[in-house]
């Protein structure tokens, strides 16, 4: 069965973006590039909620915008991904993206049974909540940055129940960041 990983970079106080959507605190490095390159080689499917999709579409991740040309992860060799956009309000999706408008948990649990590589859930605290509730998330991966944002977009929204996790990896990477991966134990 395929594995669904919910992951992101986050501040030490658990935010994936500042209150104004700012991500200028993210630290890109050769360590991050290596981790991302290795991870992307293991997945062929991306899941995004509407808010994450809209946020991503509005970002400029070019070398000029980030100012980190040598450290910006190079995903040019990454094979094309199958992308699913989850929304109850959108009526159509961009070309090459499949819109899913109901029963996210059931959809993802069926998707996990199909042949393929791993599945990446990007951002999306609301979507992640419904997928945790459906037992569809298998791993949580965090790149914790040494910064306290105080407020912003939380990585985790309040959950309806307690979810046990088992640590499978923890290591320090460049910039004082800590990479942690947990297996979800339902």
């Amino acid at each position: 069965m395929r594995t669904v990983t919910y992951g992101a970079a986050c501040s030490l106080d658990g935010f994936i973006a500042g209150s104004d959507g700012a991500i200028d605190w993210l630290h890109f490095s050769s360590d991050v590039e290596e981790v991302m390159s290795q991870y992307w080689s293991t997945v062929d499917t991306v899941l995004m909620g509407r808010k994450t999709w809209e946020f991503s579409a509005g970002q400029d991740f070019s070398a000029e915008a980030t100012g980190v040309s040598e450290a910006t992860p190079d995903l040019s060799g990454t094979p094309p991904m199958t992308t699913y956009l989850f929304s109850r309000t959108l009526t159509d999706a961009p070309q090459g993206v499949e819109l899913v408008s109901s029963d996210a948990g059931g959809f993802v649990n069926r998707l996990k049974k199909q042949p393929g590589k791993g599945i990446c859930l990007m951002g999306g605290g609301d979507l992640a909540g419904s997928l945790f509730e459906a037992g569809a998330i298998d791993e949580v991966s965090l790149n914790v940055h040494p910064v306290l944002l105080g407020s912003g977009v939380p990585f985790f929204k309040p959950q309806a129940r307690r979810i046990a996790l088992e640590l499978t990896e923890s290591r320090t990477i460049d910039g004082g960041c800590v990479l942690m991966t947990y297996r979800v134990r339902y």
Side-chain angles (χ1 to χ4, degrees):
M1 186 171 318
R2 299 166 77 182
T3 299
V4 174
T5 302
Y6 177 43
C10 69
S11 63
L12 185 60
D13 53 353
F15 297 103
I16 59 174
S19 354
D20 58 355
I23 57 171
D24 59 341
W25 51 273
L26 290 174
H27 178 74
F28 290 100
S29 68
S30 58
D31 281 354
V32 171
E33 183 173 11
E34 181 181 321
V35 167
M36 288 178 67
S37 178
Q38 190 280 327
Y39 173 72
W40 285 114
S41 72
T42 68
V43 300
D44 63 5
T45 304
V46 174
L47 313 175
M48 283 189 185
R50 180 192 53 81
K51 292 177 193 172
T52 300
W53 178 267
E54 290 173 349
F55 176 80
S56 297
Q59 295 302 303
D60 181 359
F61 294 108
S62 68
E64 295 79 25
T66 62
V68 288
S69 59
E70 70 281 357
T72 302
D74 176 12
L75 301 177
S76 59
T78 304
M81 299 283 162
T82 301
T83 303
Y84 296 96
L85 171 57
F86 293 80
S87 175
R88 286 174 246 131
T89 58
L90 296 176
T91 55
D92 62 335
Q95 185 174 349
V97 175
E98 184 174 330
L99 180 64
V100 179
S101 56
S102 65
D103 189 19
F107 179 87
V108 172
N109 278 321
R110 288 187 300 279
L111 186 63
K112 288 172 60 172
K113 294 176 184 174
Q114 297 175 6
K117 291 182 171 185
I119 301 169
C120 173
L121 169 57
M122 295 185 74
D126 292 328
L127 177 57
S130 67
L131 296 182
F132 274 123
E133 193 59 35
I137 295 177
D138 304 294
E139 292 181 346
V140 176
S141 184
L142 302 160
N143 177 2
V144 181
H145 286 55
V147 61
L148 300 171
L149 297 179
S151 64
V153 179
F155 183 65
F156 294 105
K157 299 281 180 133
Q159 299 292 313
R161 62 189 168 99
R162 183 179 297 179
I163 298 172
L165 305 172
E166 176 185 344
L167 182 66
T168 59
E169 178 185 17
S170 175
R171 64 182 164 118
T172 304
I173 59 176
D174 189 58
C177 299
V178 178
L179 179 67
M180 297 179 289
T181 302
Y182 292 89
R183 179 175 299 116
V184 179
R185 301 182 61 176
Y186 291 104

